[in-house]
PDB file of all heavy atoms in Angstrom:
ATOM      1  N   PRO A 170     117.517  94.518 112.894  1.00 90.00           N
ATOM      2  CA  PRO A 170     118.642  93.922 112.148  1.00 90.00           C
ATOM      3  C   PRO A 170     118.987  94.686 110.938  1.00 90.00           C
ATOM      4  O   PRO A 170     120.148  94.752 110.504  1.00 90.00           O
ATOM      5  CB  PRO A 170     118.141  92.497 111.852  1.00 90.00           C
ATOM      6  CG  PRO A 170     117.090  92.234 112.865  1.00 90.00           C
ATOM      7  CD  PRO A 170     116.435  93.522 113.138  1.00 90.00           C
ATOM      8  N   VAL A 190     119.239  94.044 119.673  1.00 96.00           N
ATOM      9  CA  VAL A 190     118.965  93.880 118.219  1.00 96.00           C
ATOM     10  C   VAL A 190     117.762  93.021 118.121  1.00 96.00           C
ATOM     11  O   VAL A 190     117.815  91.761 118.410  1.00 96.00           O
ATOM     12  CB  VAL A 190     120.204  93.190 117.524  1.00 96.00           C
ATOM     13  CG1 VAL A 190     119.872  93.029 116.027  1.00 96.00           C
ATOM     14  CG2 VAL A 190     121.454  94.023 117.699  1.00 96.00           C
ATOM     15  N   GLN A 191     116.629  93.605 117.787  1.00 92.00           N
ATOM     16  CA  GLN A 191     115.364  92.851 117.892  1.00 92.00           C
ATOM     17  C   GLN A 191     114.545  93.053 116.576  1.00 92.00           C
ATOM     18  O   GLN A 191     114.383  94.182 116.084  1.00 92.00           O
ATOM     19  CB  GLN A 191     114.543  93.356 119.059  1.00 92.00           C
ATOM     20  CG  GLN A 191     113.276  92.576 119.273  1.00 92.00           C
ATOM     21  CD  GLN A 191     112.502  93.101 120.440  1.00 92.00           C
ATOM     22  OE1 GLN A 191     112.488  94.282 120.762  1.00 92.00           O
ATOM     23  NE2 GLN A 191     111.774  92.219 121.134  1.00 92.00           N
ATOM     24  N   GLY A 192     114.078  91.955 116.079  1.00 82.00           N
ATOM     25  CA  GLY A 192     113.099  91.874 114.997  1.00 82.00           C
ATOM     26  C   GLY A 192     112.008  90.930 115.410  1.00 82.00           C
ATOM     27  O   GLY A 192     112.075  90.256 116.393  1.00 82.00           O
ATOM     28  N   THR A 193     110.992  90.870 114.541  1.00 66.00           N
ATOM     29  CA  THR A 193     109.882  89.923 114.821  1.00 66.00           C
ATOM     30  C   THR A 193     110.446  88.493 114.927  1.00 66.00           C
ATOM     31  O   THR A 193     110.199  87.738 115.857  1.00 66.00           O
ATOM     32  CB  THR A 193     108.836  89.924 113.707  1.00 66.00           C
ATOM     33  OG1 THR A 193     108.281  91.285 113.736  1.00 66.00           O
ATOM     34  CG2 THR A 193     107.715  88.999 113.984  1.00 66.00           C
ATOM     35  N   ILE A 194     111.274  88.074 113.915  1.00 61.00           N
ATOM     36  CA  ILE A 194     111.995  86.822 113.916  1.00 61.00           C
ATOM     37  C   ILE A 194     113.418  87.215 113.494  1.00 61.00           C
ATOM     38  O   ILE A 194     113.624  87.960 112.594  1.00 61.00           O
ATOM     39  CB  ILE A 194     111.405  85.823 112.935  1.00 61.00           C
ATOM     40  CG1 ILE A 194     109.999  85.471 113.280  1.00 61.00           C
ATOM     41  CG2 ILE A 194     112.284  84.617 112.880  1.00 61.00           C
ATOM     42  CD1 ILE A 194     108.944  86.176 112.509  1.00 61.00           C
ATOM     43  N   ILE A 195     114.414  86.664 114.239  1.00 67.00           N
ATOM     44  CA  ILE A 195     115.750  87.038 113.937  1.00 67.00           C
ATOM     45  C   ILE A 195     116.630  85.763 113.828  1.00 67.00           C
ATOM     46  O   ILE A 195     116.296  84.733 114.400  1.00 67.00           O
ATOM     47  CB  ILE A 195     116.375  87.999 115.073  1.00 67.00           C
ATOM     48  CG1 ILE A 195     117.648  88.650 114.568  1.00 67.00           C
ATOM     49  CG2 ILE A 195     116.603  87.215 116.333  1.00 67.00           C
ATOM     50  CD1 ILE A 195     118.127  89.783 115.495  1.00 67.00           C
ATOM     51  N   SER A 196     117.683  85.829 112.983  1.00 61.00           N
ATOM     52  CA  SER A 196     118.561  84.687 112.782  1.00 61.00           C
ATOM     53  C   SER A 196     119.990  85.169 112.977  1.00 61.00           C
ATOM     54  O   SER A 196     120.272  86.418 113.197  1.00 61.00           O
ATOM     55  CB  SER A 196     118.429  84.166 111.367  1.00 61.00           C
ATOM     56  OG  SER A 196     118.751  85.174 110.393  1.00 61.00           O
ATOM     57  N   ALA A 197     120.895  84.244 112.975  1.00 55.00           N
ATOM     58  CA  ALA A 197     122.339  84.614 113.203  1.00 55.00           C
ATOM     59  C   ALA A 197     122.872  85.390 112.021  1.00 55.00           C
ATOM     60  O   ALA A 197     123.900  86.064 112.175  1.00 55.00           O
ATOM     61  CB  ALA A 197     123.159  83.316 113.408  1.00 55.00           C
ATOM     62  N   GLU A 198     122.260  85.267 110.860  1.00 55.00           N
ATOM     63  CA  GLU A 198     122.723  86.073 109.694  1.00 55.00           C
ATOM     64  C   GLU A 198     121.469  86.649 109.026  1.00 55.00           C
ATOM     65  O   GLU A 198     120.639  85.900 108.461  1.00 55.00           O
ATOM     66  CB  GLU A 198     123.560  85.247 108.734  1.00 55.00           C
ATOM     67  CG  GLU A 198     124.030  86.053 107.567  1.00 55.00           C
ATOM     68  CD  GLU A 198     125.061  85.240 106.716  1.00 55.00           C
ATOM     69  OE1 GLU A 198     125.917  84.606 107.262  1.00 55.00           O
ATOM     70  OE2 GLU A 198     124.901  85.265 105.473  1.00 55.00           O
ATOM     71  N   HIS A 199     121.343  87.934 109.020  1.00 50.00           N
ATOM     72  CA  HIS A 199     120.190  88.644 108.339  1.00 50.00           C
ATOM     73  C   HIS A 199     120.605  89.015 106.965  1.00 50.00           C
ATOM     74  O   HIS A 199     121.477  89.832 106.767  1.00 50.00           O
ATOM     75  CB  HIS A 199     119.739  89.819 109.171  1.00 50.00           C
ATOM     76  CG  HIS A 199     118.632  90.563 108.525  1.00 50.00           C
ATOM     77  ND1 HIS A 199     117.322  90.142 108.651  1.00 50.00           N
ATOM     78  CD2 HIS A 199     118.545  91.683 107.755  1.00 50.00           C
ATOM     79  CE1 HIS A 199     116.502  90.939 108.025  1.00 50.00           C
ATOM     80  NE2 HIS A 199     117.234  91.841 107.444  1.00 50.00           N
ATOM     81  N   VAL A 200     119.945  88.475 105.961  1.00 43.00           N
ATOM     82  CA  VAL A 200     120.273  88.731 104.560  1.00 43.00           C
ATOM     83  C   VAL A 200     119.234  89.734 104.015  1.00 43.00           C
ATOM     84  O   VAL A 200     118.045  89.541 104.224  1.00 43.00           O
ATOM     85  CB  VAL A 200     120.231  87.426 103.715  1.00 43.00           C
ATOM     86  CG1 VAL A 200     120.564  87.712 102.276  1.00 43.00           C
ATOM     87  CG2 VAL A 200     121.172  86.392 104.336  1.00 43.00           C
ATOM     88  N   GLN A 201     119.717  90.746 103.382  1.00 53.00           N
ATOM     89  CA  GLN A 201     118.813  91.701 102.738  1.00 53.00           C
ATOM     90  C   GLN A 201     119.307  92.021 101.355  1.00 53.00           C
ATOM     91  O   GLN A 201     120.454  91.902 101.018  1.00 53.00           O
ATOM     92  CB  GLN A 201     118.695  92.999 103.617  1.00 53.00           C
ATOM     93  CG  GLN A 201     120.021  93.574 104.033  1.00 53.00           C
ATOM     94  CD  GLN A 201     119.812  94.706 105.023  1.00 53.00           C
ATOM     95  OE1 GLN A 201     118.805  95.453 104.974  1.00 53.00           O
ATOM     96  NE2 GLN A 201     120.717  94.892 105.902  1.00 53.00           N
ATOM     97  N   PRO A 206     124.945  91.130 104.172  1.00 68.00           N
ATOM     98  CA  PRO A 206     124.167  90.525 105.262  1.00 68.00           C
ATOM     99  C   PRO A 206     124.748  90.912 106.593  1.00 68.00           C
ATOM    100  O   PRO A 206     125.975  91.179 106.758  1.00 68.00           O
ATOM    101  CB  PRO A 206     124.313  89.023 104.991  1.00 68.00           C
ATOM    102  CG  PRO A 206     125.551  88.860 104.198  1.00 68.00           C
ATOM    103  CD  PRO A 206     125.673  90.158 103.365  1.00 68.00           C
ATOM    104  N   LEU A 207     123.849  90.995 107.648  1.00 78.00           N
ATOM    105  CA  LEU A 207     124.367  91.274 109.009  1.00 78.00           C
ATOM    106  C   LEU A 207     124.669  89.930 109.641  1.00 78.00           C
ATOM    107  O   LEU A 207     123.847  89.123 109.958  1.00 78.00           O
ATOM    108  CB  LEU A 207     123.240  91.948 109.831  1.00 78.00           C
ATOM    109  CG  LEU A 207     123.580  92.181 111.268  1.00 78.00           C
ATOM    110  CD1 LEU A 207     124.734  93.182 111.386  1.00 78.00           C
ATOM    111  CD2 LEU A 207     122.413  92.610 112.062  1.00 78.00           C
ATOM    112  N   ASN A 208     126.004  89.689 109.732  1.00 86.00           N
ATOM    113  CA  ASN A 208     126.468  88.504 110.398  1.00 86.00           C
ATOM    114  C   ASN A 208     126.610  88.829 111.895  1.00 86.00           C
ATOM    115  O   ASN A 208     127.516  89.581 112.286  1.00 86.00           O
ATOM    116  CB  ASN A 208     127.815  88.069 109.827  1.00 86.00           C
ATOM    117  CG  ASN A 208     128.360  86.784 110.471  1.00 86.00           C
ATOM    118  OD1 ASN A 208     128.459  86.644 111.659  1.00 86.00           O
ATOM    119  ND2 ASN A 208     128.608  85.790 109.586  1.00 86.00           N
ATOM    120  N   LEU A 209     125.684  88.345 112.706  1.00 89.00           N
ATOM    121  CA  LEU A 209     125.641  88.769 114.115  1.00 89.00           C
ATOM    122  C   LEU A 209     126.915  88.351 114.870  1.00 89.00           C
ATOM    123  O   LEU A 209     127.363  89.101 115.711  1.00 89.00           O
ATOM    124  CB  LEU A 209     124.459  88.106 114.828  1.00 89.00           C
ATOM    125  CG  LEU A 209     123.140  88.961 114.821  1.00 89.00           C
ATOM    126  CD1 LEU A 209     122.055  88.169 115.522  1.00 89.00           C
ATOM    127  CD2 LEU A 209     123.380  90.264 115.484  1.00 89.00           C
ATOM    128  N   LYS A 210     127.523  87.259 114.544  1.00 91.00           N
ATOM    129  CA  LYS A 210     128.750  86.875 115.242  1.00 91.00           C
ATOM    130  C   LYS A 210     129.833  87.865 115.009  1.00 91.00           C
ATOM    131  O   LYS A 210     130.546  88.296 115.927  1.00 91.00           O
ATOM    132  CB  LYS A 210     129.161  85.441 114.811  1.00 91.00           C
ATOM    133  CG  LYS A 210     130.334  84.878 115.595  1.00 91.00           C
ATOM    134  CD  LYS A 210     130.571  83.461 115.278  1.00 91.00           C
ATOM    135  CE  LYS A 210     131.707  82.870 116.190  1.00 91.00           C
ATOM    136  NZ  LYS A 210     131.884  81.426 115.962  1.00 91.00           N
ATOM    137  N   ILE A 213     128.693  91.308 116.705  1.00 95.00           N
ATOM    138  CA  ILE A 213     128.873  91.308 118.134  1.00 95.00           C
ATOM    139  C   ILE A 213     130.355  91.288 118.548  1.00 95.00           C
ATOM    140  O   ILE A 213     130.726  91.962 119.557  1.00 95.00           O
ATOM    141  CB  ILE A 213     128.081  90.176 118.757  1.00 95.00           C
ATOM    142  CG1 ILE A 213     126.562  90.384 118.594  1.00 95.00           C
ATOM    143  CG2 ILE A 213     128.424  89.995 120.226  1.00 95.00           C
ATOM    144  CD1 ILE A 213     125.660  89.243 119.029  1.00 95.00           C
ATOM    145  N   ALA A 222     119.682  89.784 121.697  1.00 95.00           N
ATOM    146  CA  ALA A 222     119.168  89.620 120.349  1.00 95.00           C
ATOM    147  C   ALA A 222     117.991  88.676 120.350  1.00 95.00           C
ATOM    148  O   ALA A 222     117.829  87.798 121.164  1.00 95.00           O
ATOM    149  CB  ALA A 222     120.257  89.041 119.422  1.00 95.00           C
ATOM    150  N   GLY A 223     117.108  88.883 119.427  1.00 92.00           N
ATOM    151  CA  GLY A 223     115.886  88.078 119.227  1.00 92.00           C
ATOM    152  C   GLY A 223     114.829  88.778 118.412  1.00 92.00           C
ATOM    153  O   GLY A 223     115.106  89.850 117.917  1.00 92.00           O
ATOM    154  N   GLY A 224     113.666  88.160 118.179  1.00 87.00           N
ATOM    155  CA  GLY A 224     113.124  87.042 118.902  1.00 87.00           C
ATOM    156  C   GLY A 224     113.314  85.703 118.150  1.00 87.00           C
ATOM    157  O   GLY A 224     113.371  85.637 116.932  1.00 87.00           O
ATOM    158  N   VAL A 225     113.252  84.736 119.031  1.00 93.00           N
ATOM    159  CA  VAL A 225     113.365  83.305 118.592  1.00 93.00           C
ATOM    160  C   VAL A 225     112.174  82.532 119.179  1.00 93.00           C
ATOM    161  O   VAL A 225     111.550  83.030 120.101  1.00 93.00           O
ATOM    162  CB  VAL A 225     114.700  82.702 119.077  1.00 93.00           C
ATOM    163  CG1 VAL A 225     115.882  83.530 118.509  1.00 93.00           C
ATOM    164  CG2 VAL A 225     114.798  82.532 120.529  1.00 93.00           C
ATOM    165  N   ASP A 227     112.465  78.713 119.062  1.00 93.00           N
ATOM    166  CA  ASP A 227     112.839  77.313 119.164  1.00 93.00           C
ATOM    167  C   ASP A 227     114.277  77.092 119.653  1.00 93.00           C
ATOM    168  O   ASP A 227     115.050  78.043 119.728  1.00 93.00           O
ATOM    169  CB  ASP A 227     112.605  76.556 117.831  1.00 93.00           C
ATOM    170  CG  ASP A 227     113.548  77.098 116.758  1.00 93.00           C
ATOM    171  OD1 ASP A 227     114.164  78.145 116.953  1.00 93.00           O
ATOM    172  OD2 ASP A 227     113.610  76.413 115.690  1.00 93.00           O
ATOM    173  N   ARG A 229     116.824  75.469 118.319  1.00 93.00           N
ATOM    174  CA  ARG A 229     117.872  75.606 117.323  1.00 93.00           C
ATOM    175  C   ARG A 229     118.267  77.080 117.072  1.00 93.00           C
ATOM    176  O   ARG A 229     119.469  77.435 117.106  1.00 93.00           O
ATOM    177  CB  ARG A 229     117.452  74.983 115.967  1.00 93.00           C
ATOM    178  CG  ARG A 229     118.486  75.118 114.850  1.00 93.00           C
ATOM    179  CD  ARG A 229     118.194  74.281 113.730  1.00 93.00           C
ATOM    180  NE  ARG A 229     116.828  74.336 113.251  1.00 93.00           N
ATOM    181  CZ  ARG A 229     116.302  73.537 112.325  1.00 93.00           C
ATOM    182  NH1 ARG A 229     116.998  72.610 111.794  1.00 93.00           N
ATOM    183  NH2 ARG A 229     115.031  73.717 111.938  1.00 93.00           N
ATOM    184  N   THR A 230     117.279  77.953 116.911  1.00 92.00           N
ATOM    185  CA  THR A 230     117.598  79.333 116.628  1.00 92.00           C
ATOM    186  C   THR A 230     118.177  79.974 117.908  1.00 92.00           C
ATOM    187  O   THR A 230     119.061  80.865 117.813  1.00 92.00           O
ATOM    188  CB  THR A 230     116.343  80.110 116.189  1.00 92.00           C
ATOM    189  OG1 THR A 230     115.661  79.337 115.179  1.00 92.00           O
ATOM    190  CG2 THR A 230     116.686  81.460 115.661  1.00 92.00           C
ATOM    191  N   ALA A 231     117.652  79.640 119.080  1.00 95.00           N
ATOM    192  CA  ALA A 231     118.257  80.185 120.297  1.00 95.00           C
ATOM    193  C   ALA A 231     119.709  79.799 120.427  1.00 95.00           C
ATOM    194  O   ALA A 231     120.548  80.596 120.780  1.00 95.00           O
ATOM    195  CB  ALA A 231     117.424  79.668 121.496  1.00 95.00           C
ATOM    196  N   MET A 232     120.000  78.506 120.125  1.00 95.00           N
ATOM    197  CA  MET A 232     121.409  78.093 120.196  1.00 95.00           C
ATOM    198  C   MET A 232     122.281  78.805 119.183  1.00 95.00           C
ATOM    199  O   MET A 232     123.412  79.222 119.502  1.00 95.00           O
ATOM    200  CB  MET A 232     121.483  76.573 119.940  1.00 95.00           C
ATOM    201  CG  MET A 232     122.873  75.980 119.884  1.00 95.00           C
ATOM    202  SD  MET A 232     123.741  76.119 121.495  1.00 95.00           S
ATOM    203  CE  MET A 232     123.174  74.650 122.316  1.00 95.00           C
ATOM    204  N   HIS A 233     121.803  79.011 117.954  1.00 93.00           N
ATOM    205  CA  HIS A 233     122.551  79.799 116.968  1.00 93.00           C
ATOM    206  C   HIS A 233     122.858  81.171 117.473  1.00 93.00           C
ATOM    207  O   HIS A 233     123.980  81.694 117.335  1.00 93.00           O
ATOM    208  CB  HIS A 233     121.776  79.857 115.677  1.00 93.00           C
ATOM    209  CG  HIS A 233     121.796  78.601 114.895  1.00 93.00           C
ATOM    210  ND1 HIS A 233     121.072  78.399 113.739  1.00 93.00           N
ATOM    211  CD2 HIS A 233     122.483  77.412 115.028  1.00 93.00           C
ATOM    212  CE1 HIS A 233     121.311  77.197 113.249  1.00 93.00           C
ATOM    213  NE2 HIS A 233     122.163  76.597 114.014  1.00 93.00           N
ATOM    214  N   LEU A 234     121.842  81.839 118.063  1.00 93.00           N
ATOM    215  CA  LEU A 234     122.143  83.219 118.573  1.00 93.00           C
ATOM    216  C   LEU A 234     123.090  83.171 119.720  1.00 93.00           C
ATOM    217  O   LEU A 234     123.945  84.139 119.884  1.00 93.00           O
ATOM    218  CB  LEU A 234     120.821  83.856 119.001  1.00 93.00           C
ATOM    219  CG  LEU A 234     119.894  84.333 117.860  1.00 93.00           C
ATOM    220  CD1 LEU A 234     118.828  85.235 118.429  1.00 93.00           C
ATOM    221  CD2 LEU A 234     120.638  85.031 116.774  1.00 93.00           C
ATOM    222  N   MET A 235     122.997  82.186 120.617  1.00 96.00           N
ATOM    223  CA  MET A 235     123.992  82.151 121.716  1.00 96.00           C
ATOM    224  C   MET A 235     125.392  81.991 121.201  1.00 96.00           C
ATOM    225  O   MET A 235     126.331  82.561 121.744  1.00 96.00           O
ATOM    226  CB  MET A 235     123.609  80.960 122.631  1.00 96.00           C
ATOM    227  CG  MET A 235     122.330  81.191 123.390  1.00 96.00           C
ATOM    228  SD  MET A 235     121.765  79.737 124.336  1.00 96.00           S
ATOM    229  CE  MET A 235     120.199  80.392 124.929  1.00 96.00           C
ATOM    230  N   THR A 237     126.578  83.264 118.587  1.00 94.00           N
ATOM    231  CA  THR A 237     127.108  84.553 118.020  1.00 94.00           C
ATOM    232  C   THR A 237     127.789  85.392 119.092  1.00 94.00           C
ATOM    233  O   THR A 237     128.458  86.361 118.747  1.00 94.00           O
ATOM    234  CB  THR A 237     125.939  85.396 117.444  1.00 94.00           C
ATOM    235  OG1 THR A 237     125.125  85.817 118.539  1.00 94.00           O
ATOM    236  CG2 THR A 237     125.120  84.599 116.436  1.00 94.00           C
TER     237      THR A 237
END
Side-chain angles (χ1 to χ4, degrees):
V190 181
Q191 186 180 32
T193 301
I194 297 98
I195 196 169
S196 59
E198 183 172 313
H199 179 80
V200 181
Q201 50 188 327
L207 176 67
N208 184 305
L209 268 179
K210 186 172 184 176
I213 292 172
V225 303
D227 64 347
R229 176 167 51 187
T230 313
M232 177 64 86
H233 283 173
L234 286 194
M235 291 174 187
T237 67

